[in-house]
Amino acid sequence: MKDSKDRLEALRAEIERRNPAQPEFHQAVREVLETLAPVFAARPEYADPAVALVERLTEPERQIVFRVPWQDDRGRVHVNRGYRVEFNSALGPYKGGLRFHPSVDIGVVKFLGFEQIFKNALTGLGIGGGKGGSDFDPRGRSDAEVMRFCQSFMTELHRHIGEHTDVPAGDIGVGGREIGYLFGQYRRITNRWEAGVLTGKGAGWGGSAIRPQATGYGSVLFAAEMLKVRGESLDGLSAVVSGSGNVALYTIEKLQQLGANPLTCSDSHGYVVDDKGIDLALLKQVKEVERGRVSEYAQRRGSSARYVSDGRIWDVPADVAFPSATQNELDGQDARTLISNGIKAVSEGANMPTTPQAVRLLQEAGVAFGPGKAANAGGVAVSALEMSQNAARIAWSAQRVEEELAGIMRSIHAVAYETAERYGTPGDYVAGANIAGFERVADAMLAQGVI
Ligand code: GLU
């Protein structure tokens, strides 16, 4: 065990040296490597330096960086940077979303792509890991500007993707509208109606039922599974949910369906606490129809809701927490607050929203902690089901997709739980998810030779 720890530490140092100024990527790699020591001790073939498995796993198969020029409504030309990191295809075509946000750089895309490898492996659905995006900021842009940006982005991206190669989808800043514009441009350039090249498409043209809901629904189902192991349920519990994008909205919806009471939502400017519980119809109107801010929800909701512009959403007392906005949004101090407020479970709807220190504190305090790789895998899982439907040229009913999603979330929970037990860290879903995902990818890589 000591040997494998030393080897992992040396690997980590070398990866950080070779990939300077990519803190999010370092954080994601470190978190996975920290949990692998027991696997390396038990299965020495994974650690054999002569095979360089971890070196290969942490080096993307391909990294594409490109210029995205586009014209705004006044005729001014802007230049953004586009990315697609095709990280690992041992288990299937590269699969993962596109993020349009000013914070996007190569390190962020690599962190997301690296996480995606293990998340996708956990779904058991035969998809590799990739991620992409741009530093384009869609906020305040007109529909026409977003369309021109998406068209320019796809004019380069189309040559790298395909239903058997790489299948992008949405992430922060990329939803149904953007997928529509991207798909249209792909179809025009290639002259192919290739449904399986993108997921998250509209319901009438190849999209899967339940895909918009899948990440949020899945994150709540994962929390329900964690609570069930402890003899508890979500019914009657209060919840603090961050974010107000697709993940947060459908986290709120599923919580309400299961009898819980979500009290909050947020955006980059502030958060809302609603003592009566979030009015989802109003929130959807503000966010999905009007593309507005959560402060507008508070203004229209009446006396039960207040808007807080300079505070921490995690200060709001609740039984369960769903960080569903963005990376590193819940830090050590927030974790202490949650613990002192008696939090029972935390389920990550976003990718890596909880800092390493916060994860440690929550786990030490005995809080059930569902890492994003497991808890938010429902989104990409239903994307894989969308690919299956596209390949068969059929559309499943919402009921069927929802049943499949529930089964997948139960099995991800079971494999993470059992793997943690098997390696002597019962209840540690971080270790369980990392190890179970790693074993699947590592076995496929070893079988496929030095690639
Ligand atoms: N962006 C989502 C994720 O983080 C979904 C990716 C997909 O559907 O391909 O998993």
Side-chain angles (χ1 to χ4, degrees):
M1 191 82 162
K2 163 104 178 45
D3 281 359
S4 50
K5 279 212 169 115
D6 290 349
R7 162 119 168 90
L8 287 164
E9 183 49 33
L11 279 167
R12 187 193 58 73
E14 178 61 4
I15 290 160
E16 292 185 8
R17 190 191 66 76
R18 289 190 70 215
N19 300 279
Q22 298 178 2
E24 294 87 358
F25 179 56
H26 298 171
Q27 184 183 334
V29 169
R30 181 186 287 236
E31 187 239 283
V32 169
L33 293 188
E34 270 171 8
T35 54
L36 293 184
V39 198
F40 277 28
R43 309 266 307 262
E45 71 272 25
Y46 291 149
D48 184 354
V51 178
L53 183 73
V54 175
E55 288 86 337
R56 285 188 277 148
L57 191 57
T58 50
E59 180 73 16
E61 290 176 17
R62 192 175 296 107
Q63 304 181 56
I64 302 149
V65 184
F66 51 98
R67 181 173 70 199
V68 190
W70 58 282
Q71 237 173 343
D72 69 19
D73 288 343
R74 292 174 312 159
R76 206 179 135 208
V77 175
H78 300 256
V79 177
N80 284 101
R81 198 169 286 166
Y83 303 91
R84 188 71 183 167
V85 171
E86 299 180 332
F87 222 119
N88 192 297
S89 59
L91 293 177
Y94 310 107
K95 183 83 198 84
L98 298 170
R99 176 176 292 191
F100 292 169
H101 190 270
S103 66
V104 167
D105 63 17
I106 190 68
V108 167
V109 178
K110 280 173 66 183
F111 122 61
L112 292 164
F114 186 70
E115 296 260 308
Q116 202 83 43
I117 303 170
F118 306 98
K119 183 195 313 195
N120 294 4
L122 280 173
T123 68
L125 294 172
I127 38 180
K131 203 86 184 193
S134 174
D135 57 359
F136 172 69
D137 188 356
R139 208 175 314 145
R141 291 293 172 195
S142 69
D143 261 7
E145 289 174 325
V146 170
M147 182 181 75
R148 286 195 294 276
F149 176 81
C150 288
Q151 290 175 338
S152 180
F153 187 86
M154 185 53 86
T155 299
E156 171 59 32
L157 188 70
H158 84 276
R159 67 186 93 250
H160 307 291
I161 62 176
E163 65 172 317
H164 300 298
T165 312
D166 184 357
V167 183
D171 196 83
I172 293 171
V174 178
R177 173 180 64 169
E178 290 74 17
I179 293 294
Y181 296 147
L182 291 164
F183 186 76
Q185 184 74 349
Y186 182 86
R187 184 168 62 73
R188 185 174 192 194
I189 294 175
T190 59
N191 194 29
R192 282 164 66 90
W193 212 103
E194 186 185 334
V197 70
L198 289 170
T199 61
K201 299 181 293 296
W205 45 278
S208 175
I210 305 296
R211 177 63 191 88
Q213 294 87 343
T215 313
Y217 278 18
S219 165
V220 175
L221 295 174
F222 194 87
E225 289 295 309
M226 293 196 297
L227 289 170
K228 199 162 126 198
V229 170
R230 300 168 169 228
E232 297 192 57
S233 87
L234 282 166
D235 192 16
L237 300 189
S238 58
V240 53
V241 179
S242 66
S244 52
N246 159 276
V247 179
L249 289 180
Y250 293 102
T251 295
I252 290 169
E253 186 163 289
K254 183 52 83 183
L255 282 166
Q256 290 176 340
Q257 287 172 8
L258 297 182
N261 190 17
L263 300 170
T264 62
C265 60
S266 66
D267 59 27
S268 56
H269 292 219
Y271 69 88
V272 167
V273 196
D274 192 329
D275 295 332
K276 283 200 199 144
I278 295 289
D279 175 343
L280 189 57
L282 175 60
L283 185 59
K284 281 186 178 171
Q285 172 66 26
V286 169
K287 289 298 302 185
E288 287 189 324
V289 181
E290 299 168 20
R291 294 181 184 271
R293 316 292 310 179
V294 297
S295 55
E296 293 159 38
Y297 169 94
Q299 275 159 20
R300 274 142 75 176
R301 173 67 164 151
S303 62
S304 72
R306 62 180 195 284
Y307 176 67
V308 183
S309 61
D310 58 346
R312 302 293 292 172
I313 192 170
W314 312 113
D315 291 347
V316 177
D319 300 310
V320 282
F322 292 84
S324 310
T326 194
Q327 63 265 21
N328 293 326
E329 56 165 311
L330 194 168
D331 65 17
Q333 191 47 47
D334 299 323
R336 286 193 193 94
T337 309
L338 289 172
I339 293 162
S340 68
N341 285 338
I343 203 85
K344 294 171 190 283
V346 175
S347 186
E348 290 189 322
N351 291 312
M352 209 168 75
T354 316
T355 65
Q357 187 200 18
V359 175
R360 203 160 41 245
L361 290 168
L362 291 166
Q363 288 186 321
E364 280 167 12
V367 176
F369 179 78
K373 284 186 206 84
N376 74 37
V380 77
V382 173
S383 276
L385 301 182
E386 183 169 327
M387 291 161 68
S388 306
Q389 294 169 71
N390 293 155
R393 294 183 170 276
I394 50 168
W396 299 346
S397 68
Q399 191 194 341
R400 170 158 181 201
V401 179
E402 207 173 333
E403 281 166 15
E404 298 269 356
L405 170 64
I408 292 165
M409 295 315 298
R410 273 196 301 275
S411 86
I412 293 173
H413 174 272
V415 77
Y417 185 82
E418 283 158 17
T419 306
E421 294 246 292
R422 184 153 49 88
Y423 282 99
T425 49
D428 182 348
Y429 292 98
V430 177
N434 286 343
I435 293 172
F438 171 81
E439 285 181 329
R440 287 181 184 172
V441 183
D443 289 343
M445 288 177 70
L446 289 176
Q448 293 173 27
V450 178
I451 298 294

